[in-house]
Amino acid sequence: MEWQQFEYFQTLARMQHVTHAAEALSISQPALSRSIARFEDEIGVPLFERQGRSIRLNKYGHIFLKHVDNMMKEFHEGKQEIKDLLDPEQGEVSLGFLHTLSTSHIPDLLASFRACHPKINFRLGQGPSHNLIDQMQSGEFDLCLIASMEIKSPIVWRQLWKEELFVIVPKAHKYSNRKNITLEEISDEAFISLKEGFSLRVTIEQAFKEAGITPKITFEGEEADTVAGLVAAGLGISILPNLKGTDQSKITKIPIKSPYCQRTIGIAWVEGRYLSPATQKFKQFILDHSYEE
């Protein structure tokens, strides 16, 4: 069965006249008749009632036309969607990123990019690095902005910038007026952390390990904002990046003097997977505009 046969069937079903349909399709009447006859043979049932050169759909034809219309609609919409994606100024970029980047970095990046490319749209998603990697491998995201972690082929990761990490304490905490602090000084404090597996937690655990400290974790959260909220409520302290755009009226961030703590943010993609021109353009924009915190 050929694609043209579906087009011929749909046109004839709409016009219900062999001559007119053949003219609209720019083929001869006999050629159209032969094509429809083969089409009916392959379907296994007549689809039309013939009355001279006029022709009408029978009950089977009406049923089948609904499915052909849906199929043709999906086909043409798919062609248009691909056309839009291949237009570097009208495509869509699917981007995954860490929750902690959502209040400042992502809005700033998208605003800067769209100032030059206003017709490119974005489909966004947030999550921890390990989940974003899984989603990108399954095809949900084209690109991801994630922290440094163990990367395996076919994932490619390129460093973009580094972020300083701070000790976060409630405003009323005894250390809230400190200009800097060491991890040793907070070793006995109740500690609020992200859940296991999160890249930020891995980074912080490594810093504690290097300092010979085992933190006393009392609460775990899935988002940095949640952790900051628990700190603000006086339930413990934590270590987080600078949460720009988040309410910090009830918390204080203290630079860590020793050991110096930071995390590295980069861009990841699947090696060898097709990226639309719009996605390639955004990827290069990020690589060209990477910066240090």
Side-chain angles (χ1 to χ4, degrees), residues 30-274:
L32 176 59
S33 296
R34 287 195 297 271
S35 177
I36 294 298
R38 289 196 302 271
F39 191 69
E40 290 175 316
D41 286 343
E42 293 188 53
I43 298 300
V45 65
L47 302 172
F48 294 94
E49 294 178 359
R50 292 162 175 79
Q51 299 174 346
R53 291 185 178 178
S54 293
I55 193 168
R56 292 184 180 180
L57 284 174
N58 60 24
K59 64 177 182 180
Y60 304 113
H62 281 291
I63 292 172
F64 196 64
L65 178 61
K66 293 178 184 178
H67 295 282
V68 172
D69 284 344
N70 288 334
M71 182 182 70
M72 299 291 280
K73 178 176 177 290
E74 289 292 327
F75 172 74
H76 290 299
E77 287 180 353
K79 282 178 62 177
Q80 184 61 47
E81 184 175 342
I82 291 174
K83 181 180 178 181
D84 292 341
L85 288 172
L86 293 178
D87 185 336
E89 295 302 331
Q90 293 190 4
E92 179 184 79
V93 179
S94 57
L95 176 68
F97 54 90
L98 298 171
H99 288 286
T100 49
L101 302 179
S102 63
T103 57
S104 60
H105 294 85
I106 296 302
D108 291 346
L109 276 173
L110 299 188
S112 297
F113 181 76
R114 290 200 51 149
C116 301
H117 310 284
K119 294 183 179 180
I120 292 180
N121 296 314
F122 285 83
R123 181 166 53 83
L124 306 175
Q126 303 176 54
S129 293
H130 58 285
N131 285 353
L132 293 174
I133 287 290
D134 290 342
Q135 290 173 292
M136 186 169 64
Q137 286 189 291
S138 69
E140 187 170 341
F141 297 122
D142 298 318
L143 305 170
C144 286
L145 295 180
I146 59 174
S148 58
M149 57 184 294
E150 184 179 352
I151 299 294
K152 297 180 180 179
S153 180
I155 303 299
V156 179
W157 182 88
R158 294 288 181 272
Q159 177 177 321
L160 296 175
W161 67 79
K162 293 183 179 181
E163 294 182 329
E164 182 178 0
L165 301 179
F166 302 87
V167 169
I168 307 297
V169 301
K171 282 289 187 183
H173 195 276
K174 62 182 179 180
Y175 291 141
S176 62
N177 293 322
R178 294 286 297 272
K179 292 183 178 179
N180 55 59
I181 200 167
T182 67
L183 293 187
E184 186 176 1
E185 290 177 284
I186 64 170
S187 60
D188 291 330
E189 296 285 327
F191 194 79
I192 302 171
S193 175
L194 291 172
K195 290 186 175 181
E196 290 187 1
F198 283 57
S199 57
L200 180 57
R201 173 157 175 170
V202 173
T203 298
I204 294 170
E205 285 180 339
Q206 183 62 34
F208 275 120
K209 183 177 180 180
E210 291 176 2
I213 299 169
T214 301
K216 299 176 181 179
I217 299 175
T218 54
F219 291 95
E220 295 180 329
E222 293 188 350
E223 295 185 16
D225 285 347
T226 301
V227 172
L230 293 173
V231 172
L235 299 176
I237 70 171
S238 189
I239 296 177
L240 294 171
N242 185 14
L243 300 177
K244 297 177 182 177
T246 298
D247 181 15
Q248 300 185 36
S249 61
K250 297 181 180 180
I251 59 176
T252 298
K253 64 178 186 180
I254 309 170
I256 302 172
K257 181 179 180 180
S258 175
Y260 180 72
C261 296
Q262 65 180 11
R263 70 169 178 174
T264 305
I265 302 297
I267 183 173
W269 63 91
V270 179
E271 185 175 19
R273 178 178 293 171
Y274 173 77

